[in-house]
Structures are given as structure tokens and as C-alpha cells.
């Protein structure tokens, strides 16, 4: 860490939740594990049949306890986890992987747990409460269905009430009662460096939450009340707002505010707006869209990587229509673990220049995984800072729940940390989520090392043909010109329909003047890279595809900035 970085992060930034890595150099906004052991014990949780979810819950909590002192246990939740385990070996982080059966895992590691916390199946929140109890007391969360498998104290006679606990004894009538009890009794022992909004059914992320004692909430949506009599959406929202305001500003919030199938929870838009108002930024690490929750962060966060990319300069041709494609949802660590890997391993990868959103804080939580992308980048690949600095926020709502005399200081601190983290992923281009106040956009553009802003998650209602390219604080702003064809394209006909829509949308948004510059937004409908090839072929030679980090130089050469 340079002296300049240290000075930038001193003072109020340190109070905002920056944490010192266990035995890694530098200061980090996300908790980091110790360096992984040279031999990892691994278990394929997909091999579980009976009581699969119940066992995975206990295993992930145990993994967090075990990996606190040294990451030694790795759980393979799906084939992507196995790919990343192989990558740890290829990078040299791990010398040997010892594959264990379920019984061998417990035989070797269960001694790390001193007690167990039994969930109440009638109270979904008890899963999150049991996880927090396990984190604070070096225990595991278990369901009643498998509790008799473990010879661990659970608070019953003759055990002390301080040794484990059966949460069924409380008789909570609402999820909110469980959360109130948990924060009243555990709040001071939970981390102040991060937060999590996590659906009780999500399992994989819990190793990281247990390891670092990260507090967990879930906020039901109104639709949840019909199927969960313990839910109370409005009251949970108000409680979450109050709790979030007790935690420091400018810290990450892990998990995700909606269930993977989008039918449960408060939902993405109100959830991220709440986090933003409380000055917390979202790091999507749970199931969203079609990328499942992130597991094994208690291992991945202990790795290191120097992330560097090339920054070429294109030669201006005044006859051309320049397009920069940028793939969305890179703010989600879940996409880095899952769908980005699928696309990077696609045989069509590299045939068309493309920008890839990268979450800068993932350089804390999964540097080894980001390292795969930087090492396997093709000449046309460009990594850009996903969604407005440190994380996914609603820009105009950020810190609005704080008193006015604090808001500017919190925002300034957010910008300083964002500048540092953009340097860590070697990105010159920043993405933003939505239109914002001009002064806020200008302050983002003024952060150190930002050469261009690619604005908005698709074409906004305020985008016009006249404002697709503007300047803020001397930095060019390229607004997304297109809408998206739809969320998913899993069938051949759906892919072809999406391609046709995009070709039509691009041509319709192409101005008459030359050269022209189009920020074309690629969202989750991009399920295979041959789709981009087909779009480019149909557009014709008048359109030239370049990297996003070449746009600013081309615009300057054209006299536009």
C-alpha cells in the first residue's frame, strides 16, 4: 500500500469500516480470510441425498468456524465451485485437494464447533438467527431433523443455557420477534464492518457470514405474507431501516434483497434503495437472475491477485459509427463465480470487443476468481467498474437517511474509497445505474483515474438523441442508447428474437452525423457470445466495435470533449 493510498484512506475512512486483512497486506472494505492451507479438504455437497439442505446448512456454518484460523475446508455446491477449486491449484494457492465423504468431514472438523443452535421450522427467520448465534458462539446451525446426529450442547438440561440453544423454545409468533431478540442479545458481538440481507433458504454464503460474524436480516415483501404467516413486511422494513442506520455508513451489504426466483423478499429496487438511503452498497452474493449464491468466500477471500489490463488507443475514422458493448451485472459476485465463467469459456469469446462489468470490492472477496478473467482476457476485453464505484447503489438516494450535515461527508468518503478500488481493478471506465443530479454525476466523474462514464442500466426515460454523449466535469458521459429485449434467452428462437430486437434498436438509435458513439448495453439476455457476433454481422461494416476504454480518446480525437 502506497503512502498516497494510506493518506486517502485515513481519518473518517477508517471509521467507516475498513478492515485490516488477517495476514494480507493493505486495507480492505470487505473482510478477508487468512491465506488458504496448502492442502484443502473438499466435499461435494451435490452428493447429499437425504436431508441435503439441512446438512448443507450445518456444513456451511462449520466451514466458517473451521476456516477462521486457516481456510482448510472447501464445499463444492455445483460444478462452478469445482472449476474454481481447480483454478486455485493452477494458480499455486493449493498444492493438494483431499476429497472427503460427509462422515469424514464431520469426523475431522466437527470438534471446531462447541455447540449447536436448533432452528424452528415454523419461523423462517430462525435460520438467520441460528447462523448469527453460531458465528458468535463457535457453533453450528442445525434443523430439528438432523439435530440428533450431533453430540453437541443445545441448551437443554443438563446443559447450561449458554451452551447452544433450541430456538423452538421461544415460540416466536413473527419473524420480526426473532430478529429483535437476536439484535438485542448479539448486536454488540456482531461485526460492524459489513451487513447481509439473506433469504433463510440460501445456504452457500453462510461460511463467510459465520467466519466474520456478519449480521443477517431478511425483509419480507407484501406477497410473502400470504405464504408465510410469520412475515410482516412493513414492520420488517422499518426494523431493517433502524438497524442499518445503527451500522456505520459506507460498508458492504452481502446477500440480496429478493429471492432468486424474484417472488420473495422486498425486491431489488426497494431493497437497494433502502440500502442506499442508509449508505450501504450492495454486493450481490446470493441467488439472483440465473447466477446462484456465492460459496467458499472463507477460502477465496484469503487469496491475492494483481489485476492489470492493457489500455489500447484506437485510431479515429470519421466515417464510422463506434459501438462499445458492455455486459451488465458484474456488480454481482455471483455472476463472477457463475455466469461470467460460462461466457469466458465460450468458444466465441474474444471475437467481438466487449466491456465486462467488474465489482471492485470482489478484489477483496474473490481475487483469485477475478484473476482468472484478467489472465484469460482477449485483446478486445475491457474491464469496467460496475455500477457506480464500490458497489450497486441508487446514486441520488445514497445517504439520504442521514442528517444533511453528514451527507456530503459520507458521499465524499464513498468517492475516495471508490477511486482506490477502481485502481485495484485497473479500470478507467465507470458504469452508473441511473440518471442522477448533475452535481452528483460531476463528483463521480471527478474521481481520480476516471476517463469516462458509461451511464445507466439501459436506456432511461430521460435519454434523448441529444444527450447520449455529454460531458461532466471534463469527463465524457456515454448514456446507454438501447433498451433490452427481455431478461432470458435460453432457447434458439428467443436468442434470434433478441438479436433482431438489438439490431433494430441500434439502427433506430444511430444518429445521422459521423463519427457517432453508441454505448450499447448488454444485459442478462446475453446467454451466449455468438449472439453478439450475429448482431455485429447484421449491422454491417459502417459500425465499428471498440473497447469502452477507447471511447474517450476517440471522442477527443473527433473534437467532442
Amino acid at each position: 500500500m502506497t503512502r498516497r493510498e494510506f493518506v486517502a484512506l485515513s481519518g473518517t475512512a477508517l471509521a467507516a469500516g475498513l478492515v485490516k486483512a488477517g495476514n494480507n497486506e493493505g486495507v480492505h472494505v470487505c473482510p478477508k480470510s487468512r491465506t488458504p492451507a496448502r492442502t484443502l479438504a473438499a466435499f461435494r455437497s451435490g452428493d447429499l441425498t437425504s436431508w441435503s439442505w439441512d446438512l448443507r446448512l450445518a456444513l456451511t456454518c462449520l466451514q466458517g468456524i473451521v476456516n477462521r484460523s486457516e481456510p482448510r475446508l472447501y464445499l463444492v455446491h455445483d460444478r462452478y465451485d469445482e472449476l474454481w477449486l481447480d483454478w486455485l491449484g493452477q494458480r499455486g494457492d493449493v498444492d493438494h485437494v483431499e476429497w472427503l465423504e460427509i462422515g469424514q468431514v464431520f469426523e475431522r472438523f466437527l470438534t471446531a464447533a462447541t455447540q449447536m443452535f436448533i432452528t424452528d421450522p415454523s419461523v423462517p427467520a430462525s435460520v438467520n438467527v441460528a447462523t448469527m448465534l453460531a458465528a458468535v458462539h463457535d457453533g453450528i446451525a442445525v434443523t430439528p431433523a438432523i439435530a440428533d446426529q450431533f453430540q453437541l450442547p443445545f441448551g437443554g438440561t443438563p446443559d447450561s443455557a449458554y451452551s447452544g440453544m433450541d430456538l423452538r423454545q421461544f415460540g416466536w409468533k413473527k419473524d420480526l420477534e426473532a430478529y429483535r431478540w437476536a439484535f438485542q442479545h448479539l448486536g454488540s458481538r456482531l461485526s460492524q464492518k459489513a451487513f447481509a440481507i439473506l433469504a433463510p433458504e440460501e445456504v452457500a454464503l453462510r461460511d463467510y457470514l459465520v467466519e466474520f460474524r456478519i449480521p443477517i436480516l431478511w425483509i419480507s415483501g407484501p406477497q410473502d405474507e400470504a405464504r408465510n404467516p410469520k412475515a410482516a413486511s412493513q414492520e420488517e422494513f422499518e426494523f431493517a431501516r433502524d438497524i442499518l442506520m445503527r451500522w456505520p455508513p459506507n460498508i458492504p451489504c452481502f446477500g440480496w434483497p429478493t429471492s432468486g426466483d424474484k417472488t420473495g423478499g422486498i425486491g431489488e429496487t426497494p431493497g437497494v434503495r433502502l440500502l442506499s438511503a442508509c449508505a450501504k452498497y450492495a454486493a450481490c452474493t446470493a441467488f439472483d437472475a440465473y447466477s446462484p449464491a456465492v460459496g467458499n468466500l472463507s477460502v477465496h477471500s484469503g487469496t491475492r491477485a494483481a489485476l492489470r489490463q492493457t489500455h489500447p488507443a484506437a485510431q479515429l475514422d470519421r466515417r464510422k459509427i463506434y459501438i462499445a458493448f458492455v455486459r451488465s451485472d458484474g456488480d454481482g459476485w455471483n455472476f463472477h463465480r457463475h455466469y461470467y465463467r460460462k461466457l469466458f469459456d465460450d468458444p466465441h469469446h474474444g471475437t467481438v470487443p466487449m466491456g465486462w462489468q467488474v465489482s471492485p470490492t470482489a478484489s477483496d472477496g474473490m481475487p483469485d476468481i477475478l484473476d482468472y478473467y484478467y489472465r484469460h482476457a482477449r485483446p478486445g476485453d475491457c474491464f469496467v467498474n460496475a455500477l457506480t464505484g464500490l458497489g450497486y447503489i441508487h446514486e441520488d438516494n445514497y445517504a439520504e437517511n442521514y442528517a444533511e450535515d453528514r451527507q456530503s461527508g459520507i458521499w465524499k468518503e464513498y468517492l475516495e474509497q471508490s477511486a482506490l478500488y477502481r485502481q485495484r481493478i485497473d479500470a478507467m471506465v465507470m458504469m452508473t445505474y441511473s440518471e442522477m443530479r448533475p452535481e452528483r454525476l460531476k463528483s463521480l466523474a471527478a474521481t481520480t483515474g476516471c476517463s469516462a462514464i458509461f451511464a445507466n442500466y439501459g436506456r432511461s426515460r430521460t435519454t434523448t438523441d441529444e444527450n447520449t454523449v455529454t460531458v461532466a466535469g471534463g469527463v465524457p458521459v456515454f448514456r446507454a442508447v438501447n433498451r433490452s429485449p427481455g431478461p432470458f434467452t435460453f432457447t434458439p428462437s428467443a436468442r434470434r428474437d433478441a438479436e433482431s430486437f438489438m439490431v433494430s434498436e441500434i439502427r433506430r438509435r444511430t444518429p445521422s452525423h459521423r463519427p457517432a458513439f453508441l454505448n450499447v448495453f448488454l444485459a442478462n439476455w446475453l446467454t451466449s457470445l455468438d449472439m453478439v457476433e450475429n448482431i455485429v454481422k447484421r449491422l454491417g461494416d459502417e459500425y465499428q466495435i471498440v473497447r469502452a476504454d477507447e471511447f474517450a480518446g476517440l471522442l477527443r480525437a473527433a473534437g467532442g470533449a
Side-chain angles (χ1 to χ4, degrees):
M1 185 180 188
T2 66
R3 183 176 181 275
R4 180 174 297 177
E5 288 176 336
F6 178 81
V7 170
L9 287 169
S10 62
T12 57
L14 291 174
L18 296 172
V19 293
K20 182 73 176 178
N23 64 347
N24 291 281
E25 296 179 357
V27 179
H28 306 275
V29 297
C30 299
K32 286 185 65 66
S33 299
R34 297 178 183 275
T35 302
R38 302 306 303 178
T39 295
L40 284 182
F43 171 70
R44 294 184 178 95
S45 63
D47 290 347
L48 295 170
T49 52
S50 301
W51 309 113
S52 172
W53 183 89
D54 308 68
L55 287 166
R56 287 178 62 223
L57 173 64
L59 282 168
T60 52
C61 291
L62 180 61
Q63 183 187 22
I65 299 299
V66 168
N67 288 352
R68 245 184 219 155
S69 57
E70 182 183 42
R72 293 173 287 152
L73 178 58
Y74 190 96
L75 301 178
V76 174
H77 300 284
D78 60 21
R79 72 182 186 90
Y80 287 92
D81 283 330
E82 195 149 349
L83 290 173
W84 295 121
L85 180 58
D86 291 341
W87 177 237
L88 285 168
Q90 293 173 41
R91 272 177 32 105
D93 297 284
V94 174
D95 296 328
H96 178 66
V97 174
E98 183 182 5
W99 289 99
L100 302 180
E101 298 296 334
I102 181 66
Q104 294 173 311
V105 174
F106 285 123
E107 182 178 11
R108 181 174 301 183
F109 295 112
L110 190 57
T111 55
T114 61
Q115 54 204 291
M116 63 181 174
F117 299 91
I118 303 176
T119 65
D120 183 345
S122 71
V123 183
S126 69
V127 176
N128 285 342
V129 173
T131 301
M132 289 187 280
L133 284 163
V136 168
H137 295 293
D138 292 347
I140 57 174
V142 302
T143 65
I146 64 169
D148 60 358
Q149 297 286 313
F150 306 96
Q151 294 298 312
L152 289 170
F154 60 93
T157 304
D159 297 318
S160 163
Y162 296 100
S163 297
M165 196 172 289
D166 186 341
L167 301 184
R168 292 173 293 181
Q169 68 178 316
F170 288 98
W172 289 315
K173 303 301 183 185
K174 292 289 184 180
D175 283 336
L176 183 57
E177 293 179 35
Y179 287 124
R180 286 191 189 281
W181 180 91
F183 280 87
Q184 179 182 350
H185 289 83
L186 301 175
S188 63
R189 302 182 67 178
L190 295 168
S191 172
Q192 291 280 308
K193 311 300 183 183
F195 210 91
I197 305 292
L198 188 67
E201 66 269 19
E202 292 278 11
V203 171
L205 180 63
R206 293 178 190 269
D207 66 309
Y208 189 65
L209 305 183
V210 167
E211 180 186 15
F212 292 106
R213 302 179 179 90
I214 295 172
I216 314 168
L217 277 178
W218 179 244
I219 310 170
S220 303
Q223 74 285 354
D224 292 318
E225 296 181 8
R227 55 181 177 245
N228 174 18
K230 306 294 185 181
S233 178
Q234 184 59 37
E235 292 86 351
E236 291 173 31
F237 177 90
E238 293 170 359
F239 178 72
R241 180 188 58 209
D242 292 344
I243 290 293
L244 286 165
M245 290 299 292
R246 296 182 200 174
W247 259 248
N250 293 331
I251 62 173
C253 183
F254 299 106
W256 194 236
T258 187
S259 61
D261 60 6
K262 304 290 189 183
T263 64
I266 188 177
E268 176 179 343
T269 298
V272 176
R273 183 179 296 125
L274 171 64
L275 294 175
S276 296
C278 298
K280 315 297 184 287
Y281 48 90
C284 183
T285 39
F287 181 21
D288 178 54
Y290 42 74
S291 284
V294 180
N296 296 296
L297 285 177
S298 61
V299 178
H300 294 305
S301 66
T303 63
R304 304 180 188 181
L307 305 172
R308 296 291 179 266
Q309 61 177 323
T310 60
H311 295 285
Q315 296 297 314
L316 179 68
D317 183 340
R318 293 185 176 274
R319 300 167 297 176
K320 293 292 185 180
I321 304 161
Y322 287 101
I323 287 179
F325 289 121
V326 181
R327 176 61 164 80
S328 77
D329 285 61
D331 61 291
W333 298 16
N334 58 336
F335 271 79
H336 296 317
R337 189 199 72 90
H338 181 251
Y339 220 79
Y340 267 32
R341 179 67 187 261
K342 176 185 181 295
L343 293 175
F344 252 65
D345 293 349
D346 188 317
H348 296 274
H349 171 218
T351 59
V352 176
M354 186 181 300
W356 301 85
Q357 287 189 359
V358 170
S359 169
T361 56
S363 63
D364 281 345
M366 48 174 60
D368 56 327
I369 290 179
L370 293 191
D371 186 44
Y372 180 87
Y373 300 118
Y374 280 69
R375 290 201 199 186
H376 290 82
R378 306 295 170 81
D381 288 330
C382 170
F383 299 107
V384 304
N385 188 146
L387 293 189
T388 320
L390 287 172
Y392 177 14
I393 64 172
H394 289 179
E395 296 91 350
D396 274 352
N397 299 110
Y398 202 75
E400 69 180 4
N401 283 355
Y402 288 83
E404 287 188 18
D405 60 350
R406 291 198 63 193
Q407 290 178 14
S408 61
I410 291 171
W411 180 245
K412 180 176 182 291
E413 183 177 88
Y414 181 83
L415 295 178
E416 290 172 349
Q417 295 179 26
S418 295
L420 170 62
Y421 268 77
R422 193 173 61 256
Q423 293 169 20
R424 288 185 177 177
I425 61 170
D426 198 23
M428 300 170 63
V429 174
M430 182 193 297
M431 306 291 297
T432 62
Y433 175 69
S434 63
E435 286 292 336
M436 66 193 82
R437 301 190 298 271
E439 63 272 17
R440 185 144 286 193
L441 180 63
K442 184 177 179 180
S443 67
L444 283 166
T447 56
T448 304
C450 181
S451 68
I453 288 180
F454 275 52
N456 304 336
Y457 194 90
R459 186 180 180 90
S460 79
R461 295 177 182 176
T462 61
T463 302
T464 66
D465 292 341
E466 289 71 37
N467 70 2
T468 55
V469 181
T470 60
V471 176
V475 172
V477 177
F478 303 96
R479 288 176 174 81
V481 300
N482 63 295
R483 297 171 295 132
S484 291
F488 302 117
T489 53
F490 295 126
T491 65
S493 61
R495 289 196 290 271
R496 301 296 86 82
D497 288 346
E499 292 166 9
S500 296
F501 176 91
M502 287 298 294
V503 170
S504 174
E505 187 79 345
I506 291 169
R507 285 177 174 158
R508 187 157 67 98
R509 303 301 182 186
T510 299
S512 58
H513 62 267
R514 303 291 182 271
F517 299 89
L518 304 181
N519 165 11
V520 176
F521 182 74
L522 306 178
N524 288 329
W525 56 266
L526 182 68
T527 52
S528 60
L529 293 183
D530 65 310
M531 298 174 71
V532 184
E533 284 185 356
N534 294 336
I535 291 168
V536 172
K537 289 175 184 176
R538 291 177 60 178
L539 286 173
D541 293 339
E542 187 180 14
Y543 293 83
Q544 183 168 332
I545 318 303
V546 298
R547 291 169 40 145
D549 56 359
E550 296 176 305
F551 250 37
L554 288 169
L555 184 66
R556 283 195 300 271

